Amino acid sequence: MTTVVSPFTRSFTADAEHSSFQAQLRHMGVGTFRTGFEDVSARLEHGPDGLHLTGRARVDSITIKRPPEFRAHVVDGEDFFDAGRHPEIVFASTRLDLADDGTAALEGTLTMRGIERPVSATGTFAALVEDIYGGHRAALDLTAEIDRRDWGFEFQAQLPRGGDVLSWTVTLSIHLELVAD
């Protein structure tokens, strides 16, 4: 049996160079399509009522680059991110539990395309260490599965012999290297 611990007794900001937000889904029934976002920010706030994690990713920082027309369709298309109207993906936690065995459980609200939905993630955390500059760092690694239709990502096509071109299930992976304020 694990117990809930509180290894974070101060607030942290994600180190943008050492943090990532990625998404992956099945493609053509045989492969896994992976992409990420390069402009990601996050804060872990320590307060009297516990820990709260917030984060943002700019849609136009998606790592899809080629072909240009495909990138434009994913970033700006109404059946994908529609970044002109919804330039960011936003997350705000409602609960973050850290256990003495190093596991983490997170619940919160994920907003994409202006649609807010609850999401749960699980993963691990690395408690505070002193870095080579005299600062203090920690980390969170979290994974969640979502159904992209819940956020209005309706694009789909059928393969010639049946099956979907893109899976409805998307796996989100978040790694945050956190620097103490």
Side-chain angles (χ1 to χ4, degrees):
M1 175 178 220
T2 59
T3 56
V4 174
V5 296
S6 184
F8 302 111
T9 57
R10 52 180 120 170
S11 295
F12 295 78
T13 300
D15 175 344
E17 293 300 315
H18 298 101
S19 297
S20 62
F21 173 39
Q22 299 175 325
Q24 66 181 33
L25 67 158
R26 297 292 293 164
H27 178 253
M28 300 285 181
V30 295
T32 301
F33 175 76
R34 294 175 176 86
T35 191
F37 298 86
E38 295 173 329
D39 187 351
V40 176
S41 62
R43 291 257 323 140
L44 180 66
E45 298 280 344
H46 178 268
D49 59 341
L51 296 170
H52 296 281
L53 181 65
T54 57
R56 297 180 176 280
R58 291 219 29 99
V59 169
D60 63 3
S61 74
I62 197 165
T63 58
I64 298 169
K65 303 296 182 203
R66 293 185 305 264
E69 54 280 350
F70 175 67
R71 174 187 166 74
H73 180 71
V74 170
V75 172
D76 296 318
E78 290 183 13
D79 52 356
F80 281 102
F81 286 103
D82 195 7
R85 294 189 314 153
H86 309 289
E88 292 185 317
I89 298 168
V90 178
F91 176 81
S93 70
T94 55
R95 182 176 173 177
L96 174 57
D97 292 329
L98 306 175
D100 63 0
D101 65 355
T103 59
L106 177 73
E107 294 179 13
T109 301
L110 181 64
T111 304
M112 292 189 290
R113 296 175 43 92
I115 300 169
E116 295 181 358
R117 295 280 187 263
V119 67
S120 299
T122 58
T124 60
F125 71 93
L128 202 63
V129 298
E130 187 172 348
D131 66 23
I132 62 171
Y133 307 108
H136 293 91
R137 292 177 181 258
L140 278 171
D141 283 291
L142 300 163
T143 303
E145 281 193 354
I146 64 169
D147 185 323
R148 62 189 176 90
R149 293 172 289 196
D150 292 341
W151 284 269
F153 292 86
E154 298 289 338
F155 174 84
Q156 190 58 273
Q158 295 299 303
L159 295 168
R161 294 197 174 153
D164 295 332
V165 167
L166 298 174
S167 67
W168 295 113
T169 301
V170 178
T171 301
L172 304 176
S173 302
I174 300 92
H175 169 73
L176 298 174
E177 187 169 315
L178 301 161
V179 180
D181 294 344

